[in-house]
Amino acid sequence: MVSKVTIDENRCKGCGLCVRACPKKIMQLSKTKLNEKGYHPAEVIDQGACIACASCARTCPDAVITVEKE
Amino acid sequence: MTTVFKKTPVLTDTVMHYCPGCGHGIVHRLVAEVIEELGIQDRTIGFVPVGCAVFGYKYFAVDCVEAAHGRAPAAATGCKRVNPNNVVFTYQGDGDLASIGAAEIVHAAHRGEKITTIFINNAIYGMTGGQMAPTTLVGQKTTTSPYGRDPEHCGKPLRVAEMIATIEGAAYVERVSVDSVPNIIKAKAAIKKAFQCQLDGKGFALVEVLSSCPTNWGKSPAEAMDWIKSDMIPYYPLGVKKDRTNE
């Protein structure tokens, strides 16, 4: 299955709830990037392993995650 | 590509002022998604509280009224009675609903007002800096209970959902939580049922949502969600407290 997780990085507050919720453990807070507000935004480290369950998006308090699948 | 999940248009594009990991953002989204799914965006009016959710009117893409502290159910009563075809909801925290607004919520339920109340219980006053609320757990440290809540002095935490469920006029009362994805999905179903209760003219509906306040609890967002599960849910059991929507 091909899936795509898009994160609106500048709206992300780096709370990490998506990292906690992801069953495949493929999300992390960026170790290198800072966004406009100075937070480390969430990122997907292995898009190929994503099962498009949208757990990350459902737990995100700021609705910054969009999930699509083929 | 098919979209599995995207932000509902019933939430505006304004960046929410909430702290990172705050449960308010999750509940705002659930309410907005329910309004979208029920197709009632053009006739819904929200009443937002005093407290952290005071700027709710900037985030819900529906008409909103900013009520005086604790008085959202009273203001919503007037709105619903004058405009019975509108869908009227209040969104209130525990400092607003369970403390200064306790009389208003009890009597709105008592009169069986056909409104929907979303009640956020995070066991603390968030906006004012983490003071003890009626819902603060025994032993929980806050800025006004630095040694932990003492039940001899302050009483035990108020279980609002159970209290409202005893009132004849209440048609639907449920307590849910946003500590995990399965519970978030259940919370949305409860909020949808509470709005449907109003659409069907059944009476007053209240959904109590156990939510997190990482900043004032002094925890990380993930630790705060774990604390809901380990400490809040045992005292505030989840589930339907009253349901006469099928009568």
Side-chain angles (χ1 to χ4, degrees):
Chain A
M1 181 174 62
V2 179
S3 60
K4 186 178 163 206
V5 174
T6 311
I7 296 163
D8 188 348
E9 290 185 354
N10 276 324
R11 296 171 64 95
C12 175
K13 293 176 185 161
C15 71
L17 290 181
C18 54
V19 178
R20 174 179 180 268
C22 178
K24 305 303 280 186
K25 306 293 174 204
I26 55 169
M27 297 199 75
Q28 67 174 18
L29 299 183
S30 176
K31 294 179 168 58
T32 53
K33 273 189 275 187
L34 285 175
N35 68 10
E36 283 174 359
K37 284 184 177 284
Y39 295 118
H40 293 284
E43 62 187 15
V44 180
I45 50 179
D46 184 2
Q47 185 64 69
C50 176
I51 56 171
C53 67
S55 291
C56 53
R58 284 183 224 283
T59 200
C60 176
D62 293 280
V64 305
I65 302 175
T66 303
V67 182
E68 297 164 290
K69 70 174 178 183
E70 204 60 77
Chain B
M1 288 288 221
T2 54
T3 302
V4 179
F5 191 99
K6 69 177 171 92
K7 183 174 89 69
T8 167
V10 184
L11 278 183
T12 65
D13 287 330
T14 310
V15 176
M16 295 188 200
H17 71 287
Y18 299 117
C19 304
C22 173
H24 269 301
I26 300 173
V27 186
H28 278 27
R29 198 191 69 240
L30 297 181
V31 171
E33 286 174 356
V34 165
I35 290 171
E36 182 192 8
E37 287 172 17
L38 292 173
I40 53 174
Q41 184 181 7
D42 58 345
R43 60 187 178 109
T44 297
I45 302 173
F47 285 75
V48 294
V50 172
C52 283
V54 67
F55 297 127
Y57 55 79
K58 295 202 285 189
Y59 310 137
F60 293 117
V62 299
D63 286 336
C64 283
V65 178
E66 169 56 52
H69 202 358
R71 274 66 192 188
T77 294
C79 180
K80 181 68 179 181
R81 288 190 175 202
V82 172
N83 306 293
N85 290 326
N86 282 120
V87 180
V88 177
F89 77 93
T90 73
Y91 184 104
Q92 304 174 258
D94 43 10
D96 188 84
L97 182 146
S99 186
I100 192 169
E104 280 74 13
I105 196 67
V106 165
H107 284 280
H110 169 60
R111 296 188 305 268
E113 298 296 344
K114 294 176 180 60
I115 61 172
T116 302
T117 291
I118 310 301
F119 165 48
I120 309 300
N121 177 356
N122 57 10
I124 207 158
Y125 279 78
M127 183 184 72
T128 47
Q131 291 83 6
M132 181 172 59
T135 46
T136 295
L137 296 181
V138 170
Q140 185 184 341
K141 289 180 180 171
T142 69
T143 54
T144 49
S145 59
Y147 303 109
R149 181 180 185 143
D150 175 6
E152 287 297 316
H153 184 60
C154 312
K156 289 184 178 174
L158 191 62
R159 292 189 181 100
V160 171
E162 283 81 351
M163 176 178 76
I164 297 296
T166 64
I167 299 172
E168 269 304 305
Y172 177 69
V173 183
E174 181 166 355
R175 183 183 289 117
V176 296
S177 165
V178 293
D179 68 297
S180 64
V181 174
N183 278 343
I184 289 171
I185 293 169
K186 288 179 197 164
K188 183 176 169 183
I191 291 169
K192 194 167 190 175
K193 192 161 181 180
F195 274 87
Q196 192 64 50
C197 176
Q198 176 178 169
L199 291 171
D200 296 342
K202 299 287 186 181
F204 181 78
L206 180 140
V207 177
E208 175 175 342
V209 186
L210 303 184
S211 183
S212 64
C213 182
T215 300
N216 288 306
W217 291 355
K219 298 182 190 305
S220 74
E223 288 167 353
M225 290 300 184
D226 292 340
W227 193 79
I228 293 178
K229 187 177 180 190
S230 64
D231 287 66
M232 285 186 80
I233 293 177
Y235 188 83
Y236 295 115
L238 305 183
V240 177
K241 308 299 173 186
K242 185 172 194 181
D243 185 359
R244 51 178 186 80
T245 55
N246 291 325
E247 289 175 14

